[in-house]
Amino acid sequence: MDNVVQNNPLLTREDVERAAADMIKPLLPLLSLGHARLHLGETGAVYSTAIAEMEAFARPLWAIIPMLIGDCPAVAPLWEAWRKGIINGVNPAHTEYWGAVEDYDQRLVEMAVFGMGMALAPQQFFFSLPDETRKQLYQWLDQINHHDMPKNNWIFFRVLVNIGFRVCGLAYSQAQLEEDIAQIETHYEGDGWYFDYPNQRDYYTLWAFHYYSLVYAVVMKEADPERAKRYRERAALIAGDFACWFDENGSALPYGRSLTYRFAQSAFFAMAAVAGVTTEAVDYGVMKHLLLQNLRQWFHKPIFTRDGVLTIGYEYPNLLMAEGYNGPGSPYWAMKTFACLALPKNHPFWMAQEKPFAGPARKCLPHARMVITRNRKGDHVIGYTAGNHAHEHAHDEAKYEKFAYSTVFGFSVPKAGKLLKDGAFDSVLAVSLDGDTYHPRYGCSSYEVTEGRIESAWSPFPQVRIQTTIIPLADQWHLRIHHLQCDCPVWIAEGGFALAREGNGTVKKMEDDQKAEAKAPWGVSVIRALQGYERGTVITPEPNTNLMSPRTALPTLLAKLPAGKTMLACAVYASPRSDAAMILPKEANQYAKLG
């Protein structure tokens, strides 16, 4: 099957509606006999196959419900199929009943979209169901009020369900609602930023905390005007910061977990439009461009199967980078971006002319613990980080704790810690006690993030203590300085950015005792030794380690360091253009000498 969305220009509301429908239509023949389950693949998750099939059924509703609100003509056959699935899924006497849930159950996650439907579209969604089904849906959803959930963004799922109950005139607990909102409030840090449990600042701030709070703001604007206003104000505060994560091509910064949700990256802008949240920097024209340009670039990636089903992965199908909670239907969380279809065609969002975001060349985002840089052409954004930490998901160290993340070069996850090609150690300093098994930064004992530099103290082993300074320079360069205190000899490998080995042309490698460089018609990656390294090499990592390209070349500096104190300094460069001048800024050597 051709990727029909690839040829969609995404210029009008009708184009976006067609894209949403074209993504859901391939799922219709895969629905179960009772339509309450959707079998999209054979891969496993931490929950059962039956729950995975319920999840896959539920997630397209993130697009179907806005299409119902917006009276989109294409929604009729889709809603007919999903309405049948809801009728059978909540019926305890039906073989496809979704069942009794448990504490920390994945089905609690999927209840959120039903709550949103009841809250935002009571007539089109809830009251269009048969009387008995409405009673059964209420009883099935009410289980969320009697089970424990993680004290993170999940709490918002219960909030959505209960405001849905409220709008539809059903019994709910105001005390539970207030308790949950108070819990959510403990995650707010200021300037629009929330953190997710235990200590993560990533896309969940935008596609979870803000997305759901803006649903609340729309639904409760009269019943709870003060809080609704506060949620809108917070969204306005973060809009300009978050827009910095997108380059002019529409690519957003690959960073953090759940990246298989792909174009959920722009879902915040969709719900901000629904809630009427605009700012001087991110008005409707900029918001529309960020959302649609992000969709356009995603639709040109090989992210679908031959029959049009979204795959697990990032820019290509890839199970290696996935979390344990990624089932075959999980990628359809991306359908949250179609919230904009709830807006009528004469809404200012749809009437606005697209405008590129005029992002600054450099911006410090202290709550995100990140400094963002943007090259002169705007087609390459890099995020430099320290201080974020997660400990319960796959490849946490790669997803949160590399020195730099790029919209062009992505990042890599390891297949193993043994051997450099297995570890795919891009944008890190990897340390080994035996020259065989390496460890990158994972957890900082202290950190400081300012516009001019990013400092962190970390220890890959008790015998090794490291103080790292990252200094963003001009023209896509950055400087890394490490002060190591080692109780024994160690081996180190300092990785630059991983360059794709796909495309029309070949990758040229240059290696000597001062640098390592990989160059191709589609880009260049360089790492130069300034102090302390022995030689450069271009490593060929294991296939499918990088999120953006299944095969890469990784410029790396190597050394064996003696026990005692050592200083390392290097300069790192990457560009999407191979004809770039690659002139090291003069201040690099000055910074390196100062240490």
Side-chain angles (χ1 to χ4, degrees):
M1 174 180 174
D2 292 334
N3 177 6
V4 291
V5 296
Q6 183 173 356
N7 299 319
N8 189 324
L10 295 171
L11 295 174
T12 66
R13 184 180 184 274
E14 290 75 17
D15 290 339
V16 177
E17 177 188 345
R18 189 169 71 255
D22 284 344
M23 288 189 61
I24 299 173
K25 286 176 184 176
L27 308 181
L28 290 169
L30 304 177
L31 286 165
S32 58
L33 185 63
H35 285 205
R37 296 181 182 179
L38 191 56
H39 186 78
L40 298 183
E42 306 304 326
T43 59
V46 293
Y47 40 88
S48 70
T49 297
I51 294 176
E53 291 175 351
M54 183 271 154
E55 173 195 67
F57 168 87
R59 296 200 167 186
L61 286 167
W62 290 104
I64 291 172
I65 289 167
M67 294 172 79
L68 288 172
I69 298 170
D71 197 24
C72 298
V75 77
L78 308 178
W79 176 231
E80 181 182 358
W82 262 260
R83 183 176 180 273
K84 178 180 178 181
I86 294 171
I87 291 171
N88 292 327
V90 299
N91 180 1
H94 197 276
T95 56
E96 294 184 13
Y97 174 53
W98 294 330
V101 305
E102 301 176 350
D103 294 343
Y104 307 100
D105 197 301
Q106 181 66 29
R107 286 166 291 186
L108 300 173
V109 177
E110 310 316 320
M111 289 180 180
V113 73
F114 296 91
M116 186 187 77
M118 295 170 71
L120 288 179
Q123 296 303 321
Q124 304 97 319
F125 180 72
F126 184 69
F127 288 107
S128 72
L129 299 170
D131 290 350
E132 186 64 20
T133 297
R134 294 202 298 270
K135 294 176 185 177
Q136 292 170 342
L137 178 59
Y138 171 77
Q139 292 166 351
W140 185 77
L141 289 173
D142 189 51
Q143 295 179 95
I144 202 169
N145 288 311
H146 307 284
H147 287 278
D148 287 337
M149 296 188 296
K151 301 300 187 287
N152 59 7
N153 72 91
W154 280 40
I155 298 298
F156 251 126
F157 305 150
R158 190 157 56 207
V159 170
L160 292 183
V161 168
N162 281 313
I163 63 172
F165 287 172
R166 183 184 185 280
V167 168
C168 293
L170 302 169
Y172 75 101
S173 170
Q174 183 65 31
Q176 180 69 69
L177 189 59
E178 292 296 333
E179 179 184 330
D180 288 340
I181 290 173
Q183 173 65 41
I184 290 163
E185 198 65 18
T186 66
H187 290 259
Y188 186 67
E189 291 194 332
D191 300 318
W193 284 92
Y194 294 84
F195 74 93
D196 204 13
Y197 179 86
N199 192 26
Q200 301 145 222
R201 292 139 194 89
D202 53 20
Y203 282 104
Y204 277 86
T205 299
L206 289 308
W207 69 36
F209 285 95
H210 277 289
Y211 191 98
Y212 307 137
S213 67
L214 289 174
V215 172
Y216 186 97
V218 171
V219 173
M220 303 290 284
K221 62 183 177 181
E222 295 181 1
D224 191 0
E226 183 178 339
R227 187 173 285 132
K229 179 183 177 183
R230 187 184 313 140
Y231 285 157
R232 284 189 169 92
E233 289 172 344
R234 290 177 180 179
L237 282 172
I238 203 172
D241 284 359
F242 183 49
C244 292
W245 286 32
F246 293 75
D247 67 28
E248 70 166 14
N249 296 322
S251 295
L253 201 67
Y255 177 72
R257 66 188 178 97
S258 296
L259 292 176
T260 197
Y261 300 159
R262 294 183 175 109
F263 46 91
Q265 291 167 332
S266 51
F268 165 77
F269 299 115
M271 190 52 71
V274 172
V277 175
T278 61
T279 69
E280 184 177 348
V282 185
D283 60 16
Y284 281 122
V286 171
M287 191 182 298
K288 184 178 180 182
H289 181 72
L290 288 166
L291 191 158
L292 297 183
Q293 192 68 356
N294 183 244
L295 284 176
R296 290 181 189 117
Q297 66 88 28
W298 273 117
F299 288 172
H300 282 82
K301 308 291 185 184
I303 60 176
F304 298 93
T305 64
R306 289 186 180 91
D307 55 358
V309 176
L310 277 174
T311 58
I312 297 171
Y314 195 64
E315 288 204 357
Y316 62 96
N318 186 340
L319 285 176
L320 179 63
M321 55 76 66
E323 285 80 27
Y325 53 80
N326 291 159
S330 295
Y332 284 88
W333 206 246
M335 304 304 279
K336 295 168 82 170
T337 301
F338 290 107
C340 55
L341 290 173
L343 301 171
K345 62 182 179 181
N346 62 350
H347 188 275
F349 174 82
W350 294 115
M351 301 297 289
Q353 293 293 317
E354 289 186 47
K355 289 193 303 185
F357 172 65
R362 184 183 303 183
K363 187 168 186 178
C364 181
L365 307 177
H367 296 290
R369 303 177 180 181
M370 180 182 292
V371 173
I372 294 284
T373 64
R374 180 181 303 265
N375 68 345
R376 291 172 184 172
K377 291 194 174 183
D379 60 358
H380 189 195
V381 167
I382 301 175
Y384 303 94
T385 71
N388 273 330
H389 184 65
H391 71 271
E392 57 184 10
H393 306 295
H395 308 305
D396 285 333
E397 75 289 357
K399 293 173 180 176
Y400 291 96
E401 303 209 36
K402 291 182 185 283
F403 301 140
Y405 294 85
S406 161
T407 60
V408 174
F409 299 90
F411 67 89
S412 303
V413 297
K415 279 191 176 178
K418 191 177 180 67
L419 304 181
L420 294 176
K421 70 182 184 70
D422 296 335
F425 296 114
D426 58 346
S427 295
V428 299
L429 174 67
V431 184
S432 174
L433 297 181
D434 59 6
D436 190 49
T437 302
Y438 287 80
H439 292 264
R441 182 174 68 177
Y442 182 55
C444 299
S445 58
S446 64
Y447 72 93
E448 183 179 8
V449 178
T450 63
E451 187 172 299
R453 60 177 58 205
I454 300 92
E455 306 269 1
S456 63
W458 54 287
S459 177
F461 305 99
Q463 304 95 319
V464 181
R465 296 162 297 282
I466 304 173
Q467 182 74 35
T468 292
T469 302
I470 308 297
I471 302 174
L473 303 173
D475 300 326
Q476 302 172 94
W477 285 93
H478 71 272
L479 184 68
R480 303 179 194 169
I481 302 169
H482 310 286
H483 291 276
L484 294 89
Q485 175 66 57
C486 304
D487 298 340
C488 60
V490 298
W491 287 258
I492 61 96
E494 180 100 37
F497 291 95
L499 179 70
R501 292 194 290 125
E502 314 297 327
N504 297 318
T506 59
V507 175
K508 296 180 180 179
K509 303 177 183 179
M510 285 166 271
E511 307 167 324
D512 58 35
D513 59 357
Q514 295 296 316
K515 71 175 184 302
E517 178 180 319
K519 190 173 184 179
W522 50 87
V524 62
S525 175
V526 181
I527 186 165
R528 291 187 183 178
L530 301 178
Q531 183 174 328
Y533 303 91
E534 294 175 355
R535 64 185 178 90
T537 186
V538 178
I539 290 167
T540 302
E542 277 284 301
N544 307 314
T545 47
N546 188 265
L547 270 66
M548 289 186 163
S549 176
R551 302 188 309 139
T552 58
L554 176 53
T556 304
L557 297 175
L558 303 174
K560 183 179 180 182
L561 307 181
K565 294 182 179 180
T566 302
M567 175 182 163
L568 300 173
C570 66
V572 182
Y573 174 87
S575 171
R577 284 172 298 282
S578 60
D579 59 353
M582 292 189 295
I583 300 173
L584 182 65
K586 294 180 180 179
E587 66 266 31
N589 284 304
Q590 296 172 347
Y591 279 123
K593 290 176 182 177
L594 292 173

Short mmCIF file of all heavy atoms in Angstrom, two decimals, residues 29 132 148 200-201 204 215 243 266 281 283 321 425 459 509 559 583:
data_model
loop_
_atom_site.label_atom_id
_atom_site.label_comp_id
_atom_site.label_asym_id
_atom_site.label_seq_id
_atom_site.Cartn_x
_atom_site.Cartn_y
_atom_site.Cartn_z
N PRO A 29 -10.00 -2.92 8.68
CA PRO A 29 -10.06 -4.37 8.47
C PRO A 29 -9.35 -5.17 9.55
O PRO A 29 -9.49 -6.40 9.59
CB PRO A 29 -9.38 -4.56 7.10
CG PRO A 29 -8.52 -3.37 6.93
CD PRO A 29 -9.22 -2.24 7.62
N GLU A 132 -28.10 1.79 27.61
CA GLU A 132 -27.42 0.75 28.38
C GLU A 132 -25.91 0.89 28.26
O GLU A 132 -25.17 0.69 29.24
CB GLU A 132 -27.88 -0.64 27.93
CG GLU A 132 -27.34 -1.79 28.77
CD GLU A 132 -27.81 -1.75 30.21
OE1 GLU A 132 -28.84 -1.10 30.49
OE2 GLU A 132 -27.15 -2.38 31.07
N ASP A 148 -5.14 2.45 42.44
CA ASP A 148 -3.93 3.27 42.54
C ASP A 148 -3.29 3.46 41.17
O ASP A 148 -3.35 2.57 40.31
CB ASP A 148 -2.92 2.62 43.49
CG ASP A 148 -3.34 2.73 44.95
OD1 ASP A 148 -4.14 3.65 45.26
OD2 ASP A 148 -2.88 1.90 45.76
N GLN A 200 11.99 13.94 35.54
CA GLN A 200 12.15 14.07 34.10
C GLN A 200 11.44 15.31 33.58
O GLN A 200 10.32 15.61 33.98
CB GLN A 200 11.57 12.83 33.39
CG GLN A 200 12.19 11.53 33.80
CD GLN A 200 11.21 10.39 33.84
OE1 GLN A 200 11.21 9.56 34.73
NE2 GLN A 200 10.30 10.34 32.87
N ARG A 201 12.11 16.01 32.67
CA ARG A 201 11.52 17.16 31.99
C ARG A 201 11.68 16.88 30.50
O ARG A 201 12.79 16.97 29.97
CB ARG A 201 12.22 18.44 32.41
CG ARG A 201 11.94 18.80 33.86
CD ARG A 201 13.17 19.33 34.57
NE ARG A 201 12.95 19.36 36.01
CZ ARG A 201 13.22 18.32 36.83
NH1 ARG A 201 13.71 17.21 36.33
NH2 ARG A 201 12.99 18.41 38.11
N TYR A 204 6.62 14.97 27.98
CA TYR A 204 5.44 14.77 28.82
C TYR A 204 4.96 16.09 29.43
O TYR A 204 3.77 16.24 29.75
CB TYR A 204 5.73 13.74 29.91
CG TYR A 204 5.55 12.34 29.40
CD1 TYR A 204 6.59 11.67 28.76
CD2 TYR A 204 4.33 11.69 29.52
CE1 TYR A 204 6.41 10.40 28.26
CE2 TYR A 204 4.14 10.41 29.03
CZ TYR A 204 5.19 9.77 28.39
OH TYR A 204 5.01 8.50 27.89
N VAL A 215 -7.40 20.89 28.17
CA VAL A 215 -8.74 20.29 28.08
C VAL A 215 -9.56 20.76 29.29
O VAL A 215 -10.72 21.18 29.15
CB VAL A 215 -8.66 18.75 28.05
CG1 VAL A 215 -10.06 18.15 28.15
CG2 VAL A 215 -7.98 18.28 26.77
N ALA A 243 8.76 26.02 21.42
CA ALA A 243 8.95 26.24 19.99
C ALA A 243 10.42 26.17 19.60
O ALA A 243 10.75 25.82 18.46
CB ALA A 243 8.35 27.59 19.59
N SER A 266 3.95 17.71 18.37
CA SER A 266 3.27 18.98 18.09
C SER A 266 1.85 19.02 18.65
O SER A 266 1.11 19.98 18.37
CB SER A 266 3.26 19.24 16.58
OG SER A 266 2.77 18.14 15.85
N ALA A 281 5.16 35.65 20.36
CA ALA A 281 6.15 34.83 19.65
C ALA A 281 5.50 33.64 18.95
O ALA A 281 5.98 33.19 17.91
CB ALA A 281 7.23 34.35 20.62
N ASP A 283 2.01 33.05 17.71
CA ASP A 283 0.64 33.37 17.37
C ASP A 283 0.06 32.22 16.54
O ASP A 283 0.70 31.19 16.33
CB ASP A 283 0.55 34.71 16.65
CG ASP A 283 1.34 34.75 15.34
OD1 ASP A 283 1.72 33.68 14.82
OD2 ASP A 283 1.59 35.86 14.84
N MET A 321 14.87 0.85 20.50
CA MET A 321 14.73 2.10 21.25
C MET A 321 13.47 2.18 22.10
O MET A 321 13.28 3.13 22.85
CB MET A 321 14.77 3.29 20.28
CG MET A 321 13.74 3.27 19.16
SD MET A 321 12.02 3.68 19.58
CE MET A 321 12.20 5.40 20.04
N PHE A 425 28.21 5.00 21.43
CA PHE A 425 28.34 6.08 22.41
C PHE A 425 28.51 7.44 21.72
O PHE A 425 29.59 8.03 21.74
CB PHE A 425 29.50 5.80 23.35
CG PHE A 425 29.32 4.57 24.20
CD1 PHE A 425 30.14 3.47 24.05
CD2 PHE A 425 28.31 4.53 25.15
CE1 PHE A 425 29.98 2.34 24.85
CE2 PHE A 425 28.14 3.40 25.96
CZ PHE A 425 28.97 2.30 25.80
N SER A 459 29.94 10.28 38.18
CA SER A 459 30.90 9.22 38.48
C SER A 459 30.40 7.91 37.88
O SER A 459 29.44 7.32 38.39
CB SER A 459 31.06 9.08 39.99
OG SER A 459 31.93 8.02 40.31
N LYS A 509 35.73 8.83 5.64
CA LYS A 509 36.24 8.85 7.00
C LYS A 509 37.65 9.42 7.02
O LYS A 509 38.47 9.09 6.17
CB LYS A 509 36.26 7.45 7.60
CG LYS A 509 34.90 6.76 7.60
CD LYS A 509 35.03 5.34 8.14
CE LYS A 509 33.70 4.60 8.10
NZ LYS A 509 33.83 3.22 8.62
N ALA A 559 41.56 7.21 24.32
CA ALA A 559 42.77 7.34 25.13
C ALA A 559 42.72 6.35 26.28
O ALA A 559 41.64 5.92 26.70
CB ALA A 559 42.92 8.77 25.67
N ILE A 583 35.25 25.84 10.46
CA ILE A 583 36.33 26.62 11.06
C ILE A 583 36.09 26.71 12.55
O ILE A 583 35.08 27.25 13.00
CB ILE A 583 36.40 28.03 10.44
CG1 ILE A 583 36.65 27.93 8.93
CG2 ILE A 583 37.48 28.86 11.11
CD1 ILE A 583 36.58 29.25 8.21
#
